[in-house]
Amino acid sequence: MTDITVTRNEGESRYELHSGDVLAGFAAFDLRAGSIRFLHTEIDPAFQGQGLAGKLASEALTDAAGRGEAIVPLCPYIAKYLETHEIPGAEIRWPKAPKGRAGSAGEDPTGRAE
């Protein structure tokens, strides 16, 4: 089986999941003072159904927590992952829905589909 790795690419503002030399997915983020906002997670269709999104989320969130960055889950996938998995040492800052608008913590305010 090909090696699966997750790395943080500061220049692209994302965590990248590679299968060998192939980019298989990413989790885009935005850094703020003391926090990291996860915006969008995407797995290439050729790699879906293999549990790779969970691996990407786990390693990205663990790395962010280890850096002391508070995690703001704006991406629906990251929010759902945090609802069902413990990330040791993580500080989670759950976003609030805008006033007058119903929505869940997992709603993607960027308007981009997962």
Side-chain angles (χ1 to χ4, degrees):
M1 179 166 183
T2 306
D3 286 335
I4 302 295
T5 58
V6 175
T7 56
R8 181 165 162 154
N9 182 334
E10 297 286 350
E12 295 292 327
S13 297
R14 65 188 189 183
Y15 283 90
E16 297 178 339
L17 180 125
H18 286 86
S19 175
D21 293 333
V22 178
L23 178 65
F26 64 88
F29 63 80
D30 176 42
L31 290 176
R32 299 287 172 104
S35 68
I36 183 169
R37 298 177 348 145
F38 282 89
L39 306 173
H40 177 72
T41 301
E42 189 172 315
I43 299 295
D44 184 290
F47 294 94
Q48 291 178 356
Q50 301 175 37
L52 297 179
K55 179 174 179 57
L56 173 59
S58 174
E59 292 195 28
L61 294 166
T62 298
D63 181 71
R67 293 170 184 258
E69 298 166 340
I71 296 165
V72 182
L74 300 177
C75 165
Y77 184 83
I78 295 294
K80 186 68 170 172
Y81 188 90
L82 287 168
E83 290 172 356
T84 58
H85 296 82
E86 179 71 26
I87 305 297
E91 175 190 347
I92 312 300
R93 295 185 189 161
W94 292 100
K96 296 181 174 107
K99 288 185 178 184
R101 184 173 161 207
S104 71
E107 193 170 307
D108 184 357
T110 65
R112 293 180 287 192
E114 183 122 21

